[in-house]
Amino acid sequence: MDFAEKLLSLRKANNLTQEQLAEKLDVSRQSVSKWECGVSHS
């Protein structure tokens, strides 16, 4: 399981939207989306 799959799995397991996770991590929702798609890890 790579980072993108793990992030998506954990987010869904915790019933969080990308927006909610982004707020908790103090990043943009677009960043979370990119991470889940495996586009960027930074």
Side-chain angles (χ1 to χ4, degrees), residues 13-37:
N14 286 281
N15 297 312
L16 293 171
T17 64
Q18 286 184 343
E19 184 70 34
Q20 290 168 326
L21 180 59
E23 287 177 17
K24 289 180 182 293
L25 297 176
D26 197 29
V27 297
S28 69
R29 186 206 54 79
Q30 289 86 354
S31 291
V32 174
S33 178
K34 286 180 183 178
W35 295 339
E36 288 182 356
C37 291

